Amino acid sequence: MTESVANVTEIHEGLDFSGYDDADYHDNYNFGIFSVKFSTDGRELVAASSDDSIYVYDLAANKLNVRIPAHRSDVNTVCFADEAGHVLYSGSDDHLCKVWDRRCLGTTGKESGVLPGHLEGVTFIDSRGDGKHFISNGKDQTIRLWDIRKMSSNIRGITMPRHVEWDYRWMEYPSHLRNRKHPNDQSLATYRGHRVLRTLIRCYFSPSYSTGQKYIYTGSADAHIYVYDLVTGALVAKLKFHDQIVRDCSWHPFSPMLGSSSWDGVIANWELSQTKGLHCP
């Protein structure tokens, strides 16, 4: 447990993620957390880590509930499927999205299903909140839409061999791989145009209240924000203001505005106009 004093009125306490059987593990490993989400009721946190695992932390009891050995590589993203909090979605550098039902872990100890389709690592997942659908951003330069009712329970034969050594942190994605398809792709739709390079760029469904979740939007390594039509996959808007990578963006849940953060050090506020679309004042 670590403590840091932010100012004279606030004290921040670190959460201990080493509370499982192998207590010395983190002492001998460069441990990192890549993604964290609150449950809807605010009682739990779920975290994705560099030790190929998912962690669920009970905030009320101030203890680690469970560590799930989830993937064969870094887990870059994890989230709750819906308000109930029983089901989790995870994505990893092993190219796979997985579905976890915490009610079954005690008996099976394994994922409820696997969703193949990405050809490179998964950088982010956003749930639609209906317990059935989610989207994922991938280093294969795509966003994919998933329905967990199509998931597979058999992981054998799902992963594809790498045909080229490529590191997204400093290399451009090879052009001859852009249209390659996974033979076992189970995604409902694929969205292309944005670039996922250098960092774990995120993607989201647009808000229910103002848009009916009819759009998908994402930052991009080319300094733009991309907005796609959920159903048709068409590019609805390509927003330019930043000078460097847009890692993250957030559509306001009720008001017609969107915020974006970039490697150029700027946080931009975009306003939505009925006639002109999104623009940055």
Side-chain angles (χ1 to χ4, degrees):
M1 181 74 69
T2 60
E3 294 186 4
S4 62
V5 179
N7 56 43
V8 294
T9 60
E10 295 184 16
I11 297 178
H12 299 265
E13 295 184 353
L15 306 181
D16 186 3
F17 280 80
S18 62
Y20 56 90
D21 292 341
D22 189 359
D24 297 327
Y25 185 81
H26 292 157
D27 293 336
N28 301 310
Y29 187 81
N30 188 16
F31 178 73
I33 293 176
F34 296 131
S35 175
V36 64
K37 289 278 189 177
F38 279 104
S39 59
T40 303
D41 61 13
R43 296 179 61 87
E44 292 183 315
L45 282 174
V46 62
S49 75
S50 61
D51 67 351
D52 311 346
S53 301
I54 298 169
Y55 291 81
V56 182
Y57 196 95
D58 188 325
L59 293 170
N62 195 27
K63 69 174 185 177
L64 186 66
N65 259 357
V66 62
R67 170 184 175 251
I68 306 170
H71 288 269
R72 297 179 181 176
S73 189
D74 291 351
V75 184
N76 293 322
T77 178
V78 66
C79 67
F80 292 96
D82 53 25
E83 293 184 356
H86 300 304
V87 178
L88 307 173
Y89 304 143
S90 65
S92 166
D93 274 342
D94 65 9
H95 310 179
L96 296 174
C97 296
K98 292 187 177 183
V99 180
W100 306 86
D101 191 330
R102 296 164 61 192
R103 294 164 295 188
C104 302
L105 283 175
T107 54
T108 66
K110 59 179 293 186
E111 67 274 354
S112 298
V114 183
L115 289 158
H118 279 294
L119 298 167
E120 303 289 346
V122 180
T123 67
F124 195 74
I125 283 175
D126 187 42
S127 173
R128 198 175 189 185
D130 59 5
K132 300 182 182 70
H133 300 93
F134 67 91
I135 54 173
S136 59
N137 227 349
K139 297 175 185 177
D140 57 3
Q141 316 302 299
T142 68
I143 294 174
R144 297 183 184 272
L145 172 66
W146 308 93
D147 184 335
I148 68 170
R149 292 168 294 189
K150 293 172 64 69
M151 64 188 180
S152 171
S153 59
N154 181 15
I155 196 171
R156 293 183 179 179
I158 283 178
T159 57
M160 288 183 63
R162 295 288 296 273
H163 295 288
V164 63
E165 286 300 319
W166 172 74
D167 192 324
Y168 91 116
R169 293 171 295 180
W170 59 276
M171 299 172 67
E172 293 294 322
Y173 194 64
S175 58
H176 68 281
L177 298 181
R178 291 184 182 273
N179 295 318
R180 190 168 55 126
K181 295 183 179 180
H182 198 297
N184 303 115
D185 184 9
Q186 294 177 352
S187 60
L188 297 180
T190 303
Y191 310 83
R192 302 177 187 271
H194 65 292
R195 296 167 62 197
V196 184
L197 299 167
R198 313 292 186 267
T199 186
L200 301 177
I201 291 174
R202 302 179 172 190
C203 63
Y204 302 95
F205 290 99
S206 63
S208 298
Y209 179 84
S210 57
T211 72
Q213 294 184 312
K214 66 185 294 185
Y215 304 116
I216 288 172
Y217 64 104
T218 179
S220 176
D222 64 5
H224 291 78
I225 298 169
Y226 287 72
V227 183
Y228 300 100
D229 185 284
L230 173 67
V231 176
T232 68
L235 181 63
V236 175
K238 183 179 178 182
L239 310 177
K240 173 61 176 174
F241 173 78
H242 293 287
D243 295 326
Q244 296 186 40
I245 294 169
V246 179
R247 175 185 166 98
D248 206 1
C249 42
S250 181
W251 202 312
H252 193 283
F254 307 114
S255 300
M257 63 178 64
L258 184 150
S260 58
S261 60
S262 168
W263 280 20
D264 61 13
V266 175
I267 295 176
N269 179 45
W270 304 80
E271 294 182 355
L272 177 61
S273 167
Q274 293 288 345
T275 56
K276 297 182 180 179
L278 284 164
H279 68 281
C280 189

